[in-house]
Amino acid sequence: MMKNRSRQMTDSINRAPHRSLLYALGMTEEEMKRPMIGVVNSFNELIPGHIHLNELAQCVKDGIRLAGGVPMEFPAIGVCDGTSMNHIGMKYSLVSRDVIADSCELVLMAQPLDAVVFIPSCDKIVPGMLMAAARLDIPAIFVTGGPMLPGSYGGQRVGLSNLFEASGACASGTITECELSEWEKACCPTCGSCSGMYTANTMCCLTEAMGMALPGSGTIPAVFSERRRLAKQTGIQIMKVLEKGITARQIMNKQSLENAMRMDMALGGSTNSVLHFLAISRECGSPLTVDDISRIAQTTPQLCKLNPASDLFITDLNEVGGISSVIKELSKGGFYNTDCLTVDGTIKERIQGVGGSDGLVIRSHTDPYAKDGGLAILKGNLAPEGAVVKKGAVLPEMMVHTGPARVFDSEEEATEAIFSGKINAGDVIVIRYEGPKGGPGMREMLTPTSAVAGMGLDNSVALITDGRFSGATRGASIGHVCPEAAVGGLLAYVNENDSITVDIPNRKIQLNVSDEILSQREPAKLPQRRLSGILSRFEQLADAASNGASMNRVQHSTPNE
């Protein structure tokens, strides 16, 4: 890392034009002598998890100024997965992750600031900024927007996943449209990332677990004053990180990446975390494989079950000590590397004096929900390069399931069939041509999975796709099937009523059709698509899901500075 990067804009006679432009911003001569700190703010008025980020950005900037730095804020885009679900907009969601990483790199290389504070909140924004931090390898720290409080309906706490399931219940006649309307008004009562252990909160928690954010960043609710104080402390802390010369990749190394995945398994996080950490690790120069993740999953106990897997929420985890308490409990069993560096010391230093299990929200490592993690990597002839399932949110009766394939070439086709009552108990729904290239964009499909659950079929129906499932998904929903149908994966050769077996305990996913019969089949025709713009570029450049589905396939070294 080049120290005093900002001097490239302020030092020497031939930087007079640069200084003139900085004066035009209202900067003083004294400020030009101080460290300049980027503040990447993903505020927008489209996403509940981002609507309040201007407040946090101001707190971060206050902290930077208190510690003697000069904050320089710039924006990042964000896509709301909830409102882009189940229409063409979801094709753009994963793509935005790489765009965010690229845009942060562009600004921070063109304007060489000394360090950076990232302020994300939701699904693709957190991993996109982590990818940028690793790629740039300058002093960096994160403070996320925090989770929203759970809603309340009918005397019970509810999250967004419950509402998606309520839509299925309404379609099947279990509840009325009037009841659905009341439910939807009560489900999301505050700003913040959606209240369950969905993708946004999973990624926020894993950012803290990896050491790139201060304790509490993953779990303190968005509306708490404590979140504002944390943002101010983050602004102060980035100056200490800069002073010590600690860069992002010194923290984001192989050991801390594995720590993050162990936390993922302990929490029973979103399946999307697998995709994102495969991509993040490549930017770090320490690429994880699906086999690495499978090893970690099989050797890490699941200590927490939060919504959608139970009626506990992120707020409950925060009240019993949050991520630090989970780390402490994992470390008691030797499941966590506590020597890893963080933005404020080592993990070991961070968890001194922290309690571990409370017995309810966080179970003891000697009495876990399961001896293996909340996610599982499956392999077999349908997915020789891997597929992923949120094992901790699968009903016991669906851990092993064999049934006839019901084959659909898009999410829309499958959703129509589910809402029309055409899916029967015992079926295996196959949704193909929704992978990185086939979609393109690898859509999340919370609507079909939630409809299945809302109609009471989650105890008898499995879903398989080369696309993705939301972190709010529960049930036997297997995603990221690789290789995908669009590049010749076996998924393209599945016929209606073929027998498929899902065996989660043994990590198997198998099409029960002989090689002889399969050799006589032609692949299903890829649906016609009219691609342009960023989707066309993504379709051409996207890597396989087993590598993180990024448009940037090259392992990056530190940019020339």
Side-chain angles (χ1 to χ4, degrees), residues 41-47 50 75-81 92-93 96-97 100 122-125 129:
N41 180 7
S42 58
F43 162 82
N44 63 55
E45 296 181 345
L46 296 168
I47 311 176
H50 294 243
I77 64 164
V79 168
C80 178
D81 282 16
Y92 291 83
S93 175
S96 73
R97 182 192 68 184
I100 291 164
C122 290
D123 297 36
K124 307 306 161 304
I125 298 89
M129 290 186 181

Side-chain angles (χ1 to χ4, degrees), residues 480-507:
H480 309 192
V481 169
C482 195
E484 62 174 297
V487 299
L490 190 58
L491 213 60
Y493 295 82
V494 178
N495 283 354
E496 191 79 3
N497 292 316
D498 281 350
S499 172
I500 293 177
T501 295
V502 175
D503 184 347
I504 297 172
N506 290 306
R507 273 52 178 185

Side-chain angles (χ1 to χ4, degrees), residues 286-300:
S286 301
L288 292 170
T289 67
V290 291
D291 290 335
D292 289 327
I293 293 172
S294 185
R295 168 181 54 82
I296 292 166
Q298 293 183 65
T299 56
T300 307

